[in-house]
Coordinates of all heavy atoms in Angstrom, one line a residue:
L11 N 150.5 218.7 185.9 CA 150.2 220.2 185.8 C 151.3 220.9 186.6 O 151.8 220.5 187.6 CB 148.9 220.5 186.5 CG 148.5 221.9 186.6 CD1 148.2 222.5 185.2 CD2 147.2 222.1 187.5
S12 N 151.7 222.1 186.0 CA 152.5 223.1 186.7 C 151.8 224.3 186.9 O 151.0 224.8 186.0 CB 153.8 223.4 185.9 OG 154.6 222.2 185.7
I13 N 151.9 224.9 188.0 CA 151.2 226.2 188.3 C 152.3 227.3 188.5 O 153.0 227.2 189.5 CB 150.3 226.1 189.6 CG1 149.3 224.9 189.5 CG2 149.6 227.4 189.9 CD1 148.6 224.6 190.8
V14 N 152.3 228.2 187.6 CA 153.3 229.2 187.6 C 152.7 230.5 188.1 O 151.7 231.0 187.6 CB 153.9 229.5 186.1 CG1 154.8 230.7 186.1 CG2 154.6 228.2 185.6
I15 N 153.4 231.1 189.2 CA 152.8 232.2 189.9 C 153.9 233.3 190.0 O 154.9 233.1 190.7 CB 152.3 231.9 191.3 CG1 151.3 230.7 191.2 CG2 151.7 233.1 192.0 CD1 150.9 230.2 192.6
L27 N 147.3 231.5 199.5 CA 147.2 230.9 198.1 C 147.8 229.5 198.1 O 147.2 228.6 197.6 CB 147.9 231.8 197.1 CG 148.0 231.3 195.7 CD1 146.6 231.0 195.1 CD2 148.7 232.3 194.8
H30 N 146.0 226.8 200.1 CA 144.8 226.3 199.3 C 145.2 225.4 198.2 O 144.6 224.3 198.0 CB 144.0 227.5 198.8 CG 143.1 228.1 199.8 ND1 143.6 229.1 200.7 CD2 141.8 228.0 200.1 CE1 142.6 229.5 201.4 NE2 141.5 228.8 201.1
L31 N 146.3 225.7 197.4 CA 146.7 224.9 196.3 C 147.2 223.6 196.8 O 147.0 222.5 196.2 CB 147.8 225.6 195.5 CG 147.4 226.9 194.7 CD1 148.6 227.5 194.1 CD2 146.4 226.5 193.6
A32 N 148.0 223.6 197.9 CA 148.5 222.4 198.5 C 147.4 221.4 198.9 O 147.7 220.2 199.0 CB 149.5 222.7 199.7
L34 N 144.7 220.8 197.3 CA 144.0 220.2 196.2 C 144.4 218.7 196.0 O 145.6 218.4 196.2 CB 144.3 221.0 194.9 CG 143.9 222.4 194.8 CD1 144.4 223.1 193.5 CD2 142.4 222.5 195.0
F36 N 144.5 216.3 193.5 CA 144.7 215.7 192.1 C 146.2 215.8 191.8 O 147.0 216.4 192.5 CB 143.9 216.4 191.1 CG 144.4 217.7 190.7 CD1 145.2 217.9 189.5 CD2 144.2 218.9 191.5 CE1 145.7 219.1 189.2 CE2 144.7 220.1 191.1 CZ 145.4 220.2 189.9
F39 N 151.1 217.5 190.8 CA 151.3 218.8 190.2 C 152.4 219.5 191.0 O 152.8 219.1 192.1 CB 150.0 219.6 190.2 CG 149.6 220.0 191.6 CD1 149.9 221.2 192.2 CD2 148.7 219.1 192.4 CE1 149.5 221.6 193.5 CE2 148.3 219.5 193.6 CZ 148.7 220.7 194.2
E40 N 153.0 220.5 190.4 CA 154.0 221.3 191.0 C 153.6 222.8 191.0 O 152.8 223.2 190.2 CB 155.3 221.1 190.3 CG 155.4 221.7 188.9 CD 156.8 221.7 188.3 OE1 157.7 221.6 189.0 OE2 156.8 222.0 187.0
I41 N 154.3 223.6 191.8 CA 154.1 225.0 191.9 C 155.4 225.7 191.6 O 156.4 225.3 192.2 CB 153.5 225.4 193.3 CG1 152.2 224.8 193.5 CG2 153.4 227.0 193.3 CD1 151.7 225.0 195.0
Y93 N 150.5 220.2 181.4 CA 149.8 221.4 181.2 C 150.3 222.4 182.2 O 150.9 222.1 183.3 CB 148.3 221.3 181.4 CG 147.6 220.7 180.2 CD1 147.5 219.3 180.1 CD2 146.9 221.5 179.3 CE1 146.9 218.7 179.0 CE2 146.3 220.9 178.2 CZ 146.3 219.5 178.0 OH 145.7 219.0 177.0
I94 N 150.2 223.7 181.9 CA 150.7 224.8 182.8 C 149.7 225.8 182.9 O 149.1 226.3 182.0 CB 152.0 225.4 182.1 CG1 153.1 224.4 181.9 CG2 152.5 226.5 183.0 CD1 154.2 224.8 180.9
I95 N 149.4 226.1 184.2 CA 148.5 227.2 184.5 C 149.2 228.4 185.1 O 150.2 228.2 185.9 CB 147.4 226.7 185.6 CG1 146.4 225.9 184.9 CG2 146.8 227.9 186.3 CD1 145.3 225.3 185.9
T96 N 148.9 229.6 184.6 CA 149.5 230.8 185.1 C 148.4 231.5 185.9 O 147.3 231.6 185.4 CB 150.1 231.7 184.0 OG1 149.0 232.1 183.2 CG2 151.1 230.9 183.2
M97 N 148.8 232.1 187.0 CA 147.8 232.8 187.8 C 148.6 233.9 188.7 O 149.8 233.7 188.9 CB 147.0 231.9 188.7 CG 147.8 231.1 189.7 SD 146.8 229.9 190.6 CE 145.4 230.8 191.3
D98 N 147.8 234.9 189.1 CA 148.4 235.9 189.9 C 148.5 235.5 191.4 O 147.9 234.4 191.8 CB 147.5 237.2 189.8 CG 147.5 237.8 188.4 OD1 148.5 237.5 187.7 OD2 146.6 238.5 188.1
N103 N 141.8 235.0 191.9 CA 141.4 233.8 191.2 C 141.4 232.6 192.2 O 142.4 232.3 192.8 CB 142.4 233.4 190.1 CG 142.5 234.5 189.0 OD1 143.5 235.0 188.7 ND2 141.3 234.8 188.4
P104 N 140.2 232.1 192.6 CA 140.1 231.1 193.6 C 140.9 229.9 193.3 O 140.8 229.3 192.2 CB 138.6 230.8 193.6 CG 137.9 231.9 193.0 CD 138.9 232.5 192.0
P105 N 141.8 229.4 194.2 CA 142.6 228.2 193.9 C 141.8 227.0 193.6 O 142.2 226.1 192.9 CB 143.3 228.0 195.3 CG 143.4 229.4 195.9 CD 142.1 230.0 195.5
E106 N 140.5 227.0 194.1 CA 139.6 225.8 193.8 C 139.3 225.7 192.3 O 138.9 224.7 191.8 CB 138.3 226.0 194.6 CG 138.5 225.9 196.1 CD 139.1 227.1 196.7 OE1 139.1 228.2 196.0 OE2 139.5 227.1 197.9
E107 N 139.5 226.8 191.5 CA 139.2 226.8 190.1 C 140.3 226.1 189.3 O 140.2 225.9 188.1 CB 139.0 228.2 189.6 CG 137.8 229.0 190.3 CD 136.5 228.6 189.6 OE1 136.3 227.5 189.0 OE2 135.5 229.4 189.8
V108 N 141.5 225.9 189.9 CA 142.6 225.4 189.2 C 142.4 224.0 188.6 O 142.6 223.8 187.4 CB 143.9 225.4 190.1 CG1 145.0 224.5 189.5 CG2 144.4 226.8 190.4
E109 N 141.9 223.1 189.4 CA 141.6 221.8 188.9 C 140.6 221.8 187.8 O 140.7 221.1 186.8 CB 141.2 220.9 190.1 CG 140.9 219.4 189.6 CD 140.5 218.5 190.8 OE1 140.5 219.0 191.9 OE2 140.2 217.3 190.5
R110 N 139.5 222.6 188.0 CA 138.4 222.7 187.0 C 139.0 223.2 185.7 O 138.7 222.7 184.6 CB 137.3 223.5 187.5 CG 136.1 223.5 186.6 CD 134.9 224.1 187.3 NE 134.9 225.5 187.3 CZ 134.3 226.4 186.5 NH1 133.7 225.9 185.4 NH2 134.4 227.7 186.6
L111 N 139.9 224.2 185.7 CA 140.5 224.8 184.5 C 141.4 223.7 183.8 O 141.3 223.6 182.6 CB 141.3 226.0 184.9 CG 142.1 226.7 183.8 CD1 141.2 227.1 182.6 CD2 142.8 227.9 184.3
W112 N 142.2 223.0 184.6 CA 143.1 222.0 184.0 C 142.3 220.9 183.4 O 142.6 220.5 182.3 CB 144.0 221.4 185.1 CG 144.6 220.2 184.7 CD1 145.6 220.0 183.8 CD2 144.3 218.9 185.3 NE1 145.9 218.6 183.7 CE2 145.2 217.9 184.6 CE3 143.5 218.4 186.3 CZ2 145.1 216.6 184.9 CZ3 143.5 217.0 186.6 CH2 144.3 216.1 185.9
R113 N 141.2 220.4 184.1 CA 140.4 219.3 183.5 C 139.7 219.8 182.3 O 139.6 219.0 181.3 CB 139.4 218.8 184.6 CG 140.1 218.1 185.7 CD 139.1 217.3 186.6 NE 139.7 216.7 187.7 CZ 140.4 215.6 187.7 NH1 140.5 214.9 186.5 NH2 141.0 215.1 188.7
Y114 N 139.2 221.0 182.2 CA 138.5 221.5 181.1 C 139.4 221.5 179.9 O 139.1 221.2 178.7 CB 137.9 222.9 181.4 CG 137.1 223.5 180.2 CD1 135.8 223.0 180.0 CD2 137.6 224.4 179.4 CE1 135.1 223.6 179.0 CE2 136.9 225.0 178.4 CZ 135.6 224.5 178.1 OH 134.9 225.1 177.1
A115 N 140.7 222.0 180.1 CA 141.7 222.1 179.0 C 142.1 220.7 178.5 O 142.1 220.4 177.3 CB 142.9 222.8 179.4
S116 N 142.4 219.8 179.4 CA 142.9 218.5 179.0 C 141.8 217.6 178.5 O 142.0 216.9 177.5 CB 143.5 217.8 180.3 OG 142.6 217.6 181.3
T125 N 140.4 232.1 181.0 CA 139.3 232.3 181.9 C 138.7 233.7 181.6 O 139.3 234.6 181.2 CB 139.6 232.1 183.3 OG1 140.6 233.1 183.7 CG2 140.2 230.7 183.6
F162 N 144.9 234.4 184.2 CA 144.6 233.1 184.7 C 144.2 232.2 183.5 O 143.1 232.2 183.0 CB 143.4 233.2 185.7 CG 143.1 231.9 186.4 CD1 144.1 231.0 186.7 CD2 141.8 231.6 186.8 CE1 143.8 229.8 187.4 CE2 141.5 230.5 187.5 CZ 142.5 229.6 187.8
R163 N 145.2 231.4 183.0 CA 145.1 230.6 181.8 C 145.8 229.3 181.9 O 146.7 229.2 182.8 CB 145.7 231.4 180.6 CG 147.1 232.0 180.9 CD 147.7 232.6 179.7 NE 147.9 234.0 179.6 CZ 148.8 234.7 180.3 NH1 149.6 234.1 181.2 NH2 148.9 236.0 180.2
C164 N 145.4 228.4 181.1 CA 146.0 227.0 181.1 C 146.5 226.8 179.7 O 145.7 227.0 178.7 CB 145.0 226.0 181.6 SG 145.7 224.3 181.6
L197 N 136.7 229.6 179.6 CA 135.9 229.0 180.8 C 135.6 230.1 181.7 O 136.5 230.9 182.1 CB 136.8 227.9 181.4 CG 136.2 227.3 182.7 CD1 134.9 226.4 182.3 CD2 137.2 226.4 183.4
V199 N 135.0 231.6 185.3 CA 135.4 231.3 186.7 C 135.0 232.5 187.6 O 134.7 233.6 187.1 CB 136.9 231.1 186.8 CG1 137.3 229.9 185.9 CG2 137.7 232.3 186.3

Side-chain angles (χ1 to χ4, degrees):
L11 178 66
S12 297
I13 305 171
V14 174
I15 307 172
L27 173 60
H30 280 83
L31 291 174
L34 297 177
F36 75 98
F39 68 93
E40 67 169 348
I41 300 172
Y93 282 83
I94 303 165
I95 283 179
T96 64
M97 64 188 305
D98 295 335
N103 299 124
E106 295 77 13
E107 301 277 23
V108 165
E109 182 178 357
R110 189 165 74 95
L111 175 58
W112 164 68
R113 291 193 183 280
Y114 183 77
S116 59
T125 60
F162 187 32
R163 49 172 110 76
C164 180
L197 178 68
V199 298

